[in-house]
Amino acid sequence: MAFDLACSYPKAMQAYEKAHAWRPLFNLALEHDLGEEKIKELGYKVAENLCTRKRWVDAAIVYQDYADDVSEAVRAYTNGNELSDALRLATKTKKRELVKDIIYPGALDLVSQMFEDMEEMEAQLQKQASRLKELRQNKLENPNAFFGVEDLSLHNVDVTTDVSTPISTFTRYTVAPTSTSRSVSKRTSRSKRKLDMKNAAGRRGTVEEESYILASWVKLVSRLSGLQNEAGKLFRNIRFFEEEHILEGKKLQVSLLEFEESLKTVIDEVWDSAITDSDKQTVEPPDASTTVLREQDTTSRPAKPTLGPRTWVLQDQFWP
């Protein structure tokens, strides 16, 4: 925007392109008569970048309006599960062959991707449910360790030794070796994400890990809701497609409903049992510190997630 205000239009266009702000970019390109061929070339470049960022609708508009490529626009709409727009554009431009060439295969790809997403969520739920059972058992058997209470019997133990420790030349202000700094700076974004996930999970076998699992299930409910909404939008289009699409769509809807029931059952059991578990007595009653931490555990536990209404479901009378 600063370059635009300063009337430095080439730099402004570069900045808009880098920021994926395609609307002001093409506005400038048209205002300053960039030329038909250059605008078309820019259209392909921008649309491809938008596709990599999964901004499918924006990519489709750019393909259609600036690259003058209806086929790629239809493909982008299809990849974004905007099948109504894909069909509309194919009909409007009198290119109905794109329906069988692009839209029909793309719709089946969407169904397959949704199946994969659901199976990934199922695997997460099963793995974490099993782990949570282990944690709950650990909580009953060894509450001090679970809640992170240190052994008070060690407080009066003399842990000093006769081993001499050499005086270090390092202080809190000593600059670390440059080789270490370079190695840290080279840490990949993937390793950083893994480290962030590990830190978020907290210490294994403690209340921190339990809280992490419960919080991840809150996100899982939100993720399932988004998938169901996308599936519902897909169902309302593929119902009018070929028999294969209809059969795959029905299977996907049934599978999503079954997984929703499984998730609801687990959530009800876990959140309801979390209250009763805190009241159970162990062989050796926990000390005061453990009781305080249990109260903190209850207050820090995420609220029980609720599954949304089934407005995404295509009713039986609309399926053949």
Side-chain angles (χ1 to χ4, degrees):
M1 182 180 291
F3 291 123
D4 201 349
L5 293 172
C7 298
S8 181
Y9 300 118
K11 290 185 177 180
M13 289 178 63
Q14 290 178 4
Y16 284 135
E17 183 180 351
K18 188 175 182 180
H20 306 285
W22 62 270
R23 288 181 175 86
L25 168 62
F26 284 104
N27 183 49
L28 280 179
L30 293 171
E31 276 186 357
H32 296 278
D33 195 19
L34 191 62
E36 185 176 344
E37 286 303 316
K38 287 188 177 181
I39 287 179
K40 190 172 184 178
E41 181 182 344
L42 182 62
Y44 275 111
K45 183 180 179 182
V46 170
E48 288 169 3
N49 287 333
L50 290 170
C51 286
T52 60
R53 301 172 71 86
K54 298 189 182 300
R55 292 173 56 180
W56 300 112
V57 174
D58 287 344
I61 295 172
V62 173
Y63 273 128
Q64 180 184 358
D65 292 351
Y66 303 107
D68 194 26
D69 193 327
V70 174
S71 297
E72 289 303 318
V74 169
R75 193 184 311 278
Y77 276 132
T78 303
N79 290 339
N81 195 21
E82 300 294 340
L83 299 183
S84 294
D85 281 324
L87 291 166
R88 174 189 58 79
L89 183 57
T91 303
K92 177 184 175 182
T93 56
K94 294 181 172 57
K95 294 186 176 181
R96 290 292 298 178
E97 68 275 7
L98 297 179
V99 175
K100 287 194 174 183
D101 293 344
I102 295 177
I103 298 176
Y104 282 0
L108 290 176
D109 289 341
L110 289 172
V111 174
S112 298
Q113 183 59 54
M114 290 181 185
F115 267 117
E116 290 179 10
D117 292 343
M118 185 190 64
E119 289 168 1
E120 181 182 322
M121 288 188 280
E122 285 180 326
Q124 175 189 338
L125 180 64
Q126 292 174 2
K127 182 178 179 180
Q128 290 182 326
S130 176
R131 177 58 181 163
L132 194 60
K133 288 181 180 179
E134 296 176 6
L135 291 172
R136 292 285 168 86
Q137 187 63 33
N138 293 343
K139 181 194 294 187
L140 295 175
E141 295 176 354
N142 193 352
N144 282 355
F146 180 81
F147 289 104
V149 178
E150 58 184 275
D151 191 347
L152 299 179
S153 63
L154 296 177
H155 280 194
N156 296 324
V157 176
D158 186 2
V159 295
T160 60
T161 68
D162 293 332
V163 179
S164 60
T165 304
I167 299 175
S168 173
T169 58
F170 290 95
T171 71
R172 63 187 296 182
Y173 304 105
T174 304
V175 178
T178 55
S179 60
T180 304
S181 300
R182 284 196 298 268
S183 64
V184 172
S185 65
K186 291 181 180 178
R187 179 181 292 160
T188 64
S189 58
R190 183 177 180 182
S191 64
K192 286 181 179 179
R193 286 196 300 270
K194 285 185 177 180
L195 181 61
D196 291 340
M197 291 175 64
K198 182 178 179 181
N199 291 337
R203 293 172 296 167
R204 282 184 61 83
T206 68
V207 65
E208 293 177 0
E209 186 181 1
E210 180 190 51
S211 298
Y212 170 78
I213 292 176
L214 296 181
S216 70
W217 284 354
V218 174
K219 295 178 182 179
L220 186 63
V221 169
S222 177
R223 183 182 173 191
L224 175 61
S225 177
L227 179 61
Q228 288 172 333
N229 290 334
E230 286 298 309
K233 188 164 64 173
L234 178 63
F235 296 153
R236 283 156 178 76
N237 284 290
I238 63 174
R239 170 60 186 86
F240 300 98
F241 290 0
E242 297 176 334
E243 183 179 0
E244 181 181 8
H245 296 83
I246 296 172
L247 293 176
E248 290 298 309
K250 289 178 69 175
K251 284 167 55 178
L252 177 60
Q253 178 168 294
V254 170
S255 298
L256 284 171
L257 287 170
E258 290 176 349
F259 176 62
E260 181 187 73
E261 284 298 322
S262 300
L263 179 58
K264 184 178 184 302
T265 299
V266 171
I267 287 175
D268 288 342
E269 291 178 353
V270 168
W271 258 265
D272 292 345
S273 66
I275 300 175
T276 57
D277 282 351
S278 62
D279 297 330
K280 290 182 179 179
Q281 297 294 323
T282 57
V283 176
E284 296 183 2
D287 54 28
S289 299
T290 309
T291 303
V292 171
L293 287 172
R294 279 186 171 181
E295 292 175 356
Q296 293 175 352
D297 170 39
T298 304
T299 56
S300 63
R301 185 182 302 122
K304 179 180 178 180
T306 56
L307 294 159
R310 292 180 171 177
T311 55
W312 58 276
V313 173
L314 189 63
Q315 299 302 320
D316 291 341
Q317 62 264 31
F318 296 110
W319 292 108

